[in-house]
Amino acid sequence: MARTRIRVVGRGPMLVDGPVEITMPDGSQVVSDRSVVALCMCKRSKIYPFCDTSHRARRERTPAATIGRAVDDAVE
């Protein structure tokens, strides 16, 4: 039997080599035939248990990044 590869992305989804069958807490089954499946780790996804990149919206910018971006935007 082949091993299943799972990669945990910092501040992002868990990437699982598919296809997969997921058993949800209520006992229902969710299936994906994709070759790589992104599973939501933040529980903000509208398509949970799959990732929809909602975790990106919660990232806060550092003050330096915000200042640099404001300057860059003003130059354009």
Side-chain angles (χ1 to χ4, degrees):
M1 185 172 174
R3 291 185 183 177
T4 301
R5 181 181 304 189
I6 299 174
R7 294 175 299 282
V8 179
V9 178
R11 295 185 180 195
M14 181 180 302
L15 302 175
V16 180
D17 286 352
V20 299
E21 181 178 290
I22 303 165
T23 302
M24 300 301 291
D26 65 1
S28 64
Q29 299 287 318
V30 180
V31 177
S32 175
D33 293 324
R34 300 186 86 178
S35 60
V36 177
V37 179
L39 298 179
C40 177
M41 300 294 288
C42 70
K43 296 190 178 180
R44 292 186 202 110
S45 175
K46 290 182 175 72
I47 58 171
Y48 188 83
F50 303 109
C51 178
D52 68 358
T53 69
S54 292
H55 60 275
R56 293 180 184 171
R58 293 288 294 171
R59 288 189 184 168
E60 295 181 23
R61 293 185 182 188
T62 61
T66 304
I67 292 167
R69 185 170 180 84
V71 170
D72 291 342
D73 289 345
V75 172
E76 294 176 343

